[in-house]
């Protein structure tokens, strides 16, 4: 039903859009309020909500793509706070892609969770949180204004907090949740400040009004807005230097890591930059900054991925690195490449995490790869799944990741950033190295699960990363650990193999590919000087060559036959000789602790225990003492002696007398 | 109109000296009876001043007021002595300084 | 009559409760709840009531007995009734009859402050609303062996400090009355008040001191942590939620229309104090171990932000202040009541002794997390709406640096609020804590109006933002 035109698209009322948006919220509230009564029925309820939302999204496809020209689509106004603060929903192509991933991959992960968390005492609560997350993420991508975006931003941070700290009796999970939330709030205030500046210049929080009036911003102010928005992106998408929460977020259950910290929430920063493409197109400084940080994050994450022993942390750093690619892409103006990588990454990263989850689940919560090995024979399905994921993430031609990665790299070069291109290519090699390392250490060679941990160089088995610490405590599972049917977990993984391998082909065909045609009228074109357009084939070959180098190095180090025979002592040597810089993640955590956390607490103690009771209250006490002293002074006049009182009467009378005498003399 | 036996100023001076002596007596003496006597002295000084000015200005109001003062002095002496008797009934030594219960 | 009844009704009924026997506890509690409910209904059902002005004083200035609504006071009085209702429903205290009576007196006196349309009446009720708090603190505070001397010291400090402010308020009111001729001026856009330079400075100083002490604003805040700690939870919910707004309300309805020039002159000083309180409160909250002190210092921080909003003289910021006043009242009330539930069960307020309660008390954990999230300004809840509008107004008014400073406490709030919640509810269970029942229906119900308000206002605070009535127009236009 079309009512009127609007800068954001076709104004109207879209009941299906409401359904997509609010059904997960209904599910969350239902499961939160009545969860314990549903018991294991909560899983199907939560999954159905998201599944129906996915189907509704498919039904709304037409409305989203009806307009071709800018970021515009189906638009529905909700309510207005006051002039300039109008909230509504926007369902355009960008929102469509994100919503498909959120609800589609979300649905698969809901189903998977029914198997992974079967028997957990807080089963229903998990699905309530998961549904709430879907609702929050949809709020983020469906809003037509910065205010609604920020609300969604904050709510996904909240959902992430709930889910990371799901097993809240574990101190490490509690600390990780708090860390993730506080860093997220740092991002929130960045976006808040951007909104403030935007309202001051444009008078409205709506995307449409802002993008129409870019001329109202001076270049300096535009950069400030982009910078503030990027602080939010960096916090949410784990870009340097606000990335330290992501590895710790692996404390949450594996489906959470798959959905939130791989496929959807961490890509919110990419969404934001793509959404604000007009702003970025207008500010070269912002593009430079974002591109550099994206590239730095990509390579930093990759290097750290080499140094990890926890399977989830390896994947976490790889996520950080891949998102670095996406940020780099949308930063330099290659918006469709970045979004393509988001799409492929969502599939193959979810695939990798869910596959890892199968391994973790079957090995009774073992997460340290040193204690795995040879699982190719015992878990062939997991091997196939992880193999496809690894091939995709490395960018092996033909698999989905290669299309998107190559697109990003060629676009970066075409937009005039040769250094970023070089970093990206190098990172691709490192990615291949550590992902194949993961594959080889986990699936090849002898099974090391029965080896004494110290023989493998594991110094503190009770810390995160081994079965002794992670995962289920006796407190949180029911006595009869119900084993859910295996297809609940392997089904979604099997389904994901298809897009992991194939989805990249929608970008096949260069400028004429379906992907390019879909996005062509949408994003503003960025024109940069000094761009070098590398032929597509040459680019692919170059990247593949680097990938092969990485693969070869990994093979020689971890999978060559003579190496496999000595896997235990070799792993021990490697554990022991891991450089501390890498083992402590470049000391970022220590730096943040020393620069922000400790001084804040010390300042707080100084204020609360010294300044307040002694200095400020000291002044108050002094005032009270002065009053009391005055009282004592006046009290000293009350001697009780009649003669003194008589004297004071006389003195008073004498004063009067003298006064009148003087007055009289003056007349 | 009788003659002044001395210049008018000396009458006033005498009155002032008497008053001052009375004041000193009130402040400096510790025996309550002496204090009362000093108060009487002050009354008398006032009376002298009143009568002197009455004669000076030929105004009988001063004389009449002196009578009032005498009456008041008598009444005040009676009550004052009664208070002294009651207050110092059980005291060992009659001393104004000991009556300092109202010390704050 | 309705508005006057809102003021005098609770006072009279509160006094009447003393006629009941001490053992009629249920009746007293019920009476208190009914009165609070009627007060809330009265405000909702008769939003446009206004009472006539009854002249009662001619010398040295004209004063009238005049109560009525203004756009700010309407919402604050509604907030007050709801918080009192929640507070009285929530917890049991010893000597219910006396406590309910004092709470009703407090309700009536505070209604008087916010509904007074005569400045002299405002000043009288200002002092009056201190007494019930003082008596509650003496009667129901913690025993006298606390670190700062316990409830006695805190109570006297509260009373005398605030009375000093009240004295300045009274003197300023009297001066105002003498200079202008009449004190029946609040909310009257046609009052035509013109206070001269010399008098104006002193009058403003008097008002400002009173409002700064009451809010409180740094550095006049030292009475607050002890007071909030010593008051029992229902009382501290009301005091923290509403009484702290009296000073801000005073600045808005007295300062802005009548003393605009003086307010402009004082802007720099107020900005400094506001930012100082903002940061000081946030950092201090980070290091406390008593859960109520954490919330008390966080309150100082939030109130600093509101002071910044008022003195920016920007219409958006002022609207944000109204939203934040209501939001802050709601979430502070919810926080103190939830913490009250916690303290009643575990008999401790110290974070060093609490831990792991979420496993056995999930409903309590749920109530506390909602209050905590509103307290830290989670987008989607009312506190965020207020903060957004205030900071937007600050920046729009040209105060870039203060708006940046205002962002810092948001991060610190996340840290200390989560520390509060997680230390109490998460982590392994502590075996040395008593195992008590989870939240009952009544206790949960008491929190419902507050939580519902937070969510509804967070989504759409439009009712508070649309200006209706001449008073807002005059207040906002006087900002130019």
């Amino acid at each position: 039903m079309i009512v009127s035109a609007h800068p954001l698209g076709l104004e109207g009322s879209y009941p299906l859009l409401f359904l997509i948006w609010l059904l997960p919220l209904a599910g969350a509230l239902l499961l939160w309020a009545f969860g314990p009564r549903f018991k294991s029925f909560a899983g199907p309820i939560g999954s159905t909500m998201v599944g129906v939302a996915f189907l509704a999204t498919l039904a709304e496809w037409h409305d989203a793509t009806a307009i071709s020209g800018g970021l515009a689509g189906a638009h529905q106004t909700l309510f207005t706070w006051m002039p300039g603060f109008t909230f509504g929903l926007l369902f355009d192509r960008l929102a469509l892609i994100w919503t498909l991933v959120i609800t589609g991959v979300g649905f698969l992960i809901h189903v998977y969770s029914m198997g992974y968390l079967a028997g957990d005492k807080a089963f229903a609560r998990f699905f309530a949180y998961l549904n709430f997350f879907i609702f929050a993420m949809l709020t983020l991508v469906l809003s037509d204004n910065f205010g609604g975006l920020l609300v969604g931003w904050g709510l996904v941070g909240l959902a992430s907090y709930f889910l990371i700290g799901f097993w809240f009796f574990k101190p490490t999970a509690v600390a990780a949740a708090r860390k993730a939330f506080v860093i997220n709030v740092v991002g929130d205030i960045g976006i808040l400040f951007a909104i403030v500046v935007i309202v001051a210049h444009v008078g409205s929080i709506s995307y449409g009004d802002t993008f129409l009036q870019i001329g109202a911003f001076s270049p300096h102010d535009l950069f400030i807005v982009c910078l503030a928005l990027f602080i939010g992106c960096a916090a949410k998408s784990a870009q340097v230097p606000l990335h330290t929460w992501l590895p710790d977020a692996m404390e949450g259950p594996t489906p959470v890591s798959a959905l939130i910290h791989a496929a959807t929430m961490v890509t919110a920063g990419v969404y934001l930059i793509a959404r604000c493409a007009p702003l970025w197109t207008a500010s070269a400084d912002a593009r430079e900054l974002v591109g550099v940080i994206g590239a730095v994050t990509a390579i930093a994450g990759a290097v750290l991925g080499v140094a990890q022993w926890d399977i989830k942390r390896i994947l976490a750093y790889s996520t950080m690195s891949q998102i670095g690619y996406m940020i780099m892409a949308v930063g330099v103006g290659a918006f469709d490449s970045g979004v393509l990588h988001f799409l492929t990454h969502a599939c193959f990263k979810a695939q990798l995490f869910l596959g890892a989850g199968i391994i973790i689940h079957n090995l009774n919560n073992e997460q340290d790869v040193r204690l795995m090995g040879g699982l190719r024979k015992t878990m062939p399905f997991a091997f196939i799944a992880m193999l496809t994921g690894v091939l995709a993430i490395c960018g092996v031609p033909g698999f989905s990741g290669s299309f998107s990665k190559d697109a990003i790299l060629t676009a970066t070069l075409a937009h005039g950033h040769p250094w970023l291109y070089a970093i990206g290519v190098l990172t691709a090699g490192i990615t291949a190295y550590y992902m194949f390392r993961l594959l080889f250490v986990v699936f090849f060679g002898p099974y090391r699960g029965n080896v004494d941990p110290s023989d493998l160089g594991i110094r503190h088995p009770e810390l995160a990363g081994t079965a002794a610490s992670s995962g289920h405590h006796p407190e949180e599972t029911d006595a009869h650990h119900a084993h859910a049917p295996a297809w609940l977990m392997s089904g979604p993984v099997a389904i994901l193999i298809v897009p992991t391998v194939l989805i990249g082909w929608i970008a096949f065909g260069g400028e004429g590919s379906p992907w390019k045609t879909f996005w062509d009228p949408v994003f503003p074109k960025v024109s940069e000087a000094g761009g070098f357009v590398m032929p597509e084939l040459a680019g692919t070959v170059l990247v593949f060559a680097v990938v092969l180098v990485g693969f070869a190095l990994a093979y020689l180090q971890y999978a060559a036959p003579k190496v496999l025979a000595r896997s235990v002592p070799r792993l021990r040597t490697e554990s022991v000789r891991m450089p501390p810089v890498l083992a402590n993640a470049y000391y970022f955590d220590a730096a943040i602790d020393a620069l922000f956390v400790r001084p804040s607490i010390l300042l707080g103690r100084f204020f609360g225990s010294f300044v307040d009771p002694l200095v400020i209250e000291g002044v108050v006490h002094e005032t009270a003492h002065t009053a009391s002293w005055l009282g004592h002074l006046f009290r000293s006049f009350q001697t009780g002696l009649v003669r003194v009182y008589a004297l004071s009467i006389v003195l008073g009378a004498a004063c009067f007398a003298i006064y009148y005498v003087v007055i009289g003399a003056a007349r | 109109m009788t003659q002044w036996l001395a210049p008018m100023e000396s009458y006033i001076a005498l009155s002032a000296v008497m008053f001052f002596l009375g004041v000193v007596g009130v402040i400096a003496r510790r025996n309550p009876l002496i204090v009362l006597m000093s108060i009487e002295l002050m009354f008398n000084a006032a009376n002298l001043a009143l009568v002197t000015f009455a004669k000076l200005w030929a105004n009988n109001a001063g004389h009449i007021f002196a009578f009032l003062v005498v009456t008041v002095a008598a009444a005040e002496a009676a009550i004052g002595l009664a208070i002294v008797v009651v207050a110092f009934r059980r005291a060992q030594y009659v001393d104004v300084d000991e009556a300092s219960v109202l010390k704050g | 009559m309705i508005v006057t009844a809102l003021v005098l009704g609770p006072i009279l009924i509160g006094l009447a409760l003393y006629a009941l026997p001490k053992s009629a506890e249920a009746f007293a509690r019920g009476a208190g709840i009914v009165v609070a409910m009627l007060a809330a209904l009265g405000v909702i059902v008769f939003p446009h009531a206004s009472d006539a002005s009854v002249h009662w004083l001619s010398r040295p200035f004209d004063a009238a007995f005049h109560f009525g609504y203004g756009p700010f006071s309407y919402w604050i009085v509604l907030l007050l009734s709801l918080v009192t209702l929640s507070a009285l429903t929530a917890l049991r205290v010893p000597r219910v009859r006396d406590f309910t009576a004092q709470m009703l007196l407090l309700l009536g006196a505070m209604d008087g402050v916010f509904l007074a349309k005569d400045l002299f009446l405002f000043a009288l009720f200002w002092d009056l609303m201190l007494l019930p708090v003082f008596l509650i603190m003496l009667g129901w505070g913690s025993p006298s062996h606390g670190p700062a001397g316990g409830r006695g010291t805190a109570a006297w400090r509260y009373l005398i400090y605030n009375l000093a402010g009240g004295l300045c308020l009274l003197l300023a009111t009297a001066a105002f009355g003498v200079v202008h001729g009449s004190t029946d001026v609040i909310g009257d856009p046609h009052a035509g008040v013109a206070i001269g330079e010399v008098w104006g400075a002193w009058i403003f100083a008097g008002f400002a001191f009173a409002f700064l002490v009451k809010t409180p604003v740094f550095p006049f805040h030292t009475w607050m942590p002890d007071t909030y700690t010593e008051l029992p939870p229902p009382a501290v919910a009301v005091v923290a939620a509403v009484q702290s707004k009296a000073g801000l309300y005073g600045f808005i309805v007295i300062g802005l229309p009548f003393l605009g020039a003086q307010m402009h002159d004082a802007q720099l000083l107020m900005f400094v104090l506001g930012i100082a309180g903002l940061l000081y409160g946030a950092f201090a909250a980070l290091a406390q171990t008593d859960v109520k002190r954490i919330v008390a210092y966080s309150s100082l921080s939030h109130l600093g932000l509101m002071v910044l909003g008022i003195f920016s003289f920007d219409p958006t910021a002022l609207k944000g202040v109204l939203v934040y006043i209501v939001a802050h009242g709601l979430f502070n009330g919810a926080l103190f009541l939830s913490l009250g539930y916690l303290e009643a069960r575990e008999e401790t307020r110290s974070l060093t002794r609490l831990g792991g309660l979420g496993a056995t008390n999930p409903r309590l954990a749920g109530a506390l997390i909602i209050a905590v999230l509103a307290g830290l300004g989670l987008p989607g809840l009312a506190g965020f709406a207020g903060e957004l509008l205030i900071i937007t107004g600050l920046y729009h008014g040209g105060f870039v640096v203060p708006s940046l400073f205002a962002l810092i406490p948001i991060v610190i709030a996340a840290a200390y609020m989560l520390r509060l919640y997680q230390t109490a509810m998460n982590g392994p269970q502590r075996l040395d804590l008593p195992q008590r029942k989870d939240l009952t229906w009544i206790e949960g119900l008491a929190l419902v109006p507050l939580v519902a308000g937070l969510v509804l206002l967070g989504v759409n605070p439009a009712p508070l933002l649309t200006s209706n009535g001449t008073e807002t127009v005059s207040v906002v236009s006087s900002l130019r």
Side-chain angles (χ1 to χ4, degrees), chain C residues 51-186:
Chain C
D51 286 3
S53 172
V54 178
H55 190 101
W56 66 289
L57 195 67
S58 290
R59 275 199 286 261
F61 47 80
D62 284 326
F65 198 77
H66 187 191
F67 289 109
Y69 290 127
F72 282 91
S73 51
Y74 175 77
W75 293 103
I76 299 180
V77 168
L78 182 58
L79 170 72
L80 172 61
S81 315
L82 286 177
V83 176
T84 309
L85 179 60
S86 292
L88 286 173
T89 318
L91 285 155
R92 301 214 112 90
V93 289
R95 303 192 303 283
V96 175
R97 178 201 73 167
D98 300 344
F99 185 78
T100 313
Q102 291 301 324
M103 289 290 282
L104 287 179
L105 287 172
L106 185 61
L107 174 64
M110 284 207 278
D111 272 339
V113 170
F114 290 107
L115 292 173
K117 284 212 163 283
D118 180 279
L119 203 51
F120 190 54
L121 215 53
F122 177 82
L124 286 179
F125 276 98
W126 183 278
D127 286 331
L128 192 60
M129 73 175 174
L130 302 175
L131 293 177
V133 180
F134 171 69
L135 292 172
I136 290 177
M137 230 192 301
L138 278 184
W140 286 271
S142 63
S144 320
H145 45 262
R151 63 175 189 252
T153 317
W156 282 107
R157 185 187 296 128
Y158 167 82
L159 186 66
I160 294 178
Y161 213 145
N162 281 282
L163 273 180
L167 176 64
C168 292
L169 178 66
L170 200 57
L171 290 173
T173 307
F176 183 97
V178 167
V179 168
H180 177 64
S182 160
T183 53
D184 191 1
V185 293
I186 298 182

Side-chain angles (χ1 to χ4, degrees), chain A residues 81 168 178 196 604 612 617, chain C residues 157 221-222 280 297 422 427 459:
Chain A
W81 282 7
F168 58 74
R178 194 191 324 185
V196 164
D612 224 38
E617 187 65 11
Chain C
R157 185 187 296 128
H221 63 280
T222 44
Y280 186 91
Y297 278 108
Q422 288 188 324
V459 170

Side-chain angles (χ1 to χ4, degrees), chain C residues 75-404:
Chain C
W75 293 103
I76 299 180
V77 168
L78 182 58
L79 170 72
L80 172 61
S81 315
L82 286 177
V83 176
T84 309
L85 179 60
S86 292
L88 286 173
T89 318
L91 285 155
R92 301 214 112 90
V93 289
R95 303 192 303 283
V96 175
R97 178 201 73 167
D98 300 344
F99 185 78
T100 313
Q102 291 301 324
M103 289 290 282
L104 287 179
L105 287 172
L106 185 61
L107 174 64
M110 284 207 278
D111 272 339
V113 170
F114 290 107
L115 292 173
K117 284 212 163 283
D118 180 279
L119 203 51
F120 190 54
L121 215 53
F122 177 82
L124 286 179
F125 276 98
W126 183 278
D127 286 331
L128 192 60
M129 73 175 174
L130 302 175
L131 293 177
V133 180
F134 171 69
L135 292 172
I136 290 177
M137 230 192 301
L138 278 184
W140 286 271
S142 63
S144 320
H145 45 262
R151 63 175 189 252
T153 317
W156 282 107
R157 185 187 296 128
Y158 167 82
L159 186 66
I160 294 178
Y161 213 145
N162 281 282
L163 273 180
L167 176 64
C168 292
L169 178 66
L170 200 57
L171 290 173
T173 307
F176 183 97
V178 167
V179 168
H180 177 64
S182 160
T183 53
D184 191 1
V185 293
I186 298 182
D188 183 1
H190 307 295
V193 175
I195 310 279
E197 283 283 325
V198 175
W199 275 112
W202 285 107
I203 293 177
F204 178 72
F207 281 126
F209 180 69
F211 298 150
L212 291 176
V213 168
K214 173 53 81 179
T215 308
V217 178
F218 184 92
F220 303 112
H221 63 280
T222 44
W223 60 267
M224 183 188 61
D226 291 325
T227 300
Y228 284 17
T229 322
E230 294 301 327
L231 280 171
V236 74
V238 176
V239 170
V242 188
Q243 209 179 75
S244 54
K245 310 305 183 309
L248 299 170
Y249 173 77
F251 274 128
I252 296 174
V253 296
I254 301 172
L256 283 177
F258 309 131
L259 296 163
Q262 287 78 17
M263 298 258 297
H264 273 91
D265 291 336
Q267 189 186 49
L268 181 62
L269 174 65
M270 293 301 171
F271 262 70
V272 169
L273 292 183
I275 294 179
L278 203 56
L279 296 172
Y280 186 91
F283 280 111
L286 205 49
Q288 302 298 317
T289 48
D290 181 329
V291 294
K292 275 167 105 174
R293 287 183 91 94
I294 293 180
V295 184
Y297 278 108
S298 87
S299 208
L300 178 63
S301 183
H302 296 313
L303 292 165
L305 180 65
M306 289 190 245
V307 168
L308 285 182
I310 294 176
F311 279 88
S312 68
F313 305 121
D314 183 278
T316 312
L318 204 61
K319 292 183 181 180
V321 168
L322 175 59
V323 174
Y324 205 43
I325 282 180
V326 176
H328 180 266
L330 291 173
F331 70 68
N332 253 23
L335 266 173
F336 278 115
L337 288 180
S338 311
L339 291 177
Y341 294 149
L342 183 64
E343 189 187 355
R345 282 163 173 74
E346 305 303 331
E347 288 155 17
T348 177
R349 281 198 308 261
S350 167
L351 283 182
T352 54
R353 294 197 49 215
L354 289 168
L357 291 168
T360 47
N361 296 24
R363 290 198 291 274
L364 180 60
L368 190 59
I369 189 69
I370 295 177
V372 157
L373 290 173
L376 58 85
L378 182 77
L381 292 176
F384 163 75
E387 281 174 347
L388 177 64
L389 290 170
I390 293 179
I391 299 180
T392 306
L394 274 177
Y395 186 89
H396 185 249
F399 307 104
V400 178
V401 172
S403 66
L404 284 171

Side-chain angles (χ1 to χ4, degrees), chain A residues 1 12-23 56 60 63 76 89:
Chain A
M1 179 179 90
S13 119
Y14 300 92
L16 269 185
L17 204 53
F18 275 111
L19 194 73
I20 299 171
W21 181 39
L22 294 176
L23 206 53
E60 282 279 342
D63 280 328
Q76 158 122 44
L89 299 175

